[in-house]
Amino acid sequence: MSCEYRTMSSPATMKPKPGGRSGTSYPARPGRNAPCPCGSGRKFKQCCAGAPAATAPAPADLRPQRALAQYRRALELRAAGKFAAARPCFAAAFAEGLADAAAFLDYARLLVLLGDLKEAEAQYRQALAVDPASAPACRELASLCFETDRHDEAADWFAAAVRHDPGDIVARHNLAHALFRSGRAADAIAALDAAIARAPGRVDLLVMQATLCERENDTARARLCAEAALAVDPANCSAAVLLARLALRRGEAGGALERLDGIDVVGAAAAQQVTWHGERGRALERLGRHAEAFAAYGQSKAVLARLQQAMPALDTATRSARMTAVEAGLSAAAWARLALPARETDPGPQPVFVLGFMRSGTTLIERMLGAHPQVAPLGELPFVADAADALAGELAGGFPQGLLALDAGRAHALLGAHRARYLDRVRQLSGDAGAARFIVDKAPFNAEHVGLIRLLFPQAPVIHAIRHPLDVVLSSYFTRFDDPQPWSASLAEAAALFVRIQDHLEAMAVRFPGGFDAVRYERLVAEPEAVMRPLLARIGLPWSADCLDFHRDARGVRTASYAQVARPLYRSSVERYRDFLPFIDPAAIATLRPAIAALGYALAA
């Protein structure tokens, strides 16, 4: 491997000193009239005495050799799995002046293995500073951004990798994935079109294209892509399961189950098994075989729990502790002192917050509101959770205790900066929203941060989605969520988290003027106009019949409800729990009984 060596300041040339202490013998200088020692036959004064004295050659600069030696040693140690030992060798090589893009790239890869992603990113950027056209550095930096949930950055770097290496199909595949996760589904599908044009026989590209089209509710194209994948690989599990899902969406439960039961999933990847069991559960449920359906859903969730067990996720105890701290610190008086003053001049669309437990109807409410000409539905935004995490680090004592210790001026300055950042991110995300006056932020677990929401946006509409607690918990158990939700693998744990969040919302609602606007799922699907008219009026919007036709444009839904909101309103999910009551963990039912009564529901016998 050729390496560039960065020139550094050389030490001063050292001249040897004559004398015995040096360990070197020096001949005596001949007299001026003595024969010249060079052998010319002339006197020394007439020969070499007049020549300039020879100087000792400067010692060779050994740093390039030392740098390469350290670099090679680092690679050997890394190859041997001795990652920690390799790190100082890389550092020593760079200290000796090694400045090669490949070396920075190798060091970044080592740092990824060591889990030091922050320094790994710095080294990837160093490699690109030396060689901006390094496709591997672009691709690997993109992967790092993707793994740290910076999907927009990841898409930019994957696009750079494709520019520098148009034949890199893996980078094109990952570009599509990053674009989709950043909410740019149309761009993702276009990226896959370009990849398939270069590699028309790649089954993974065809399956991903089918998956994205189905997620975007383009079912006709999804079916064509899945069939094309099976034409290349008739045993492809993912394509076959997707066709079964499409059959279910057409109401063909029997045909879907027949297709699923014809798939050999013994050697399939865990993720494929999760989907296979889940789709079987849905098909069996549609066919009225509820005991088998409940077992299939349970198998799907068990495999998913094993698959996601090493993935980072916020545990229930930590969530509960955060809510307890807010309940203890953010009294009505504290809110009145610290909440930002209402402002009518904030630029851009203003937020409407739709919150509640997962599977409580938040997506349906968001899509109905988002069908209004003056509203842009932006999905599950992480911006409030990001602000909460930032404040926890910025405030001595955390949030809200650290905020309570500040005077009102300092508190307003800090909260104002986070409100401005939220609105700025919203403007960037809703740049093509046209004349939208409002956006909808429907992250369900914003319920945990409702105190912060009320501090940042004291007059923003906050809509609480309510549904029968047992339907909510059961649907969460039956659903595969894209992000790890370990609580959803157990009905008892899901019930406990539901109750804790409901208690938090009840505790916080009485502290703010006006509380929250409650929307019951069951009434919304039965009387949509009667629910939506007053809700729009409270937000400050005129009535629009478009809100009842929300299903006509079901693109861009990034939640597990993407297929449901592509249909007109239906009531088949009301009291869904009745069919599964004999199989539900009694501990979960006991946990939910107080919440069922408090919310005005009953429990079927």
Side-chain angles (χ1 to χ4, degrees), residues 38 98 118 163 173 186 188 196 218 245 412 433 459 520 565:
C38 73
L98 187 64
K118 183 177 180 180
R163 284 197 304 273
H173 180 281
I196 291 169
D218 185 352
R245 182 184 301 159
H412 287 168
Q459 291 189 324
R520 290 184 182 272
V565 296

Side-chain angles (χ1 to χ4, degrees), residues 30-168:
R32 288 175 56 79
N33 292 314
C36 185
C38 73
S40 66
R42 304 171 63 190
K43 292 181 179 180
F44 176 60
K45 67 180 180 181
Q46 297 170 335
C47 190
C48 293
T55 58
D61 191 343
L62 300 178
R63 285 170 300 163
Q65 292 88 334
R66 290 197 298 265
L68 288 174
Q70 290 285 2
Y71 179 35
R72 289 170 180 147
R73 178 61 177 157
L75 295 179
E76 290 170 0
L77 290 167
R78 190 185 70 178
K82 299 177 181 180
F83 304 141
R87 185 169 188 167
C89 294
F90 273 112
F94 297 135
E96 293 286 357
L98 187 64
D100 184 73
F104 290 126
L105 184 57
D106 282 326
Y107 189 31
R109 290 166 175 164
L110 174 74
L111 292 165
V112 169
L113 294 171
L114 289 169
D116 189 348
L117 300 186
K118 183 177 180 180
E119 183 58 27
E121 181 172 344
Q123 295 302 318
Y124 280 126
R125 294 184 184 278
Q126 186 79 316
L128 287 164
V130 176
D131 181 8
S134 172
C138 291
R139 183 178 61 246
E140 293 174 34
L141 177 56
S143 296
L144 189 151
C145 291
F146 189 93
E147 293 301 321
T148 51
D149 294 327
R150 291 176 289 159
H151 300 122
D152 284 320
E153 285 184 72
D156 290 342
W157 284 113
F158 279 129
V162 169
R163 284 197 304 273
H164 300 315
D165 184 2
D168 188 342

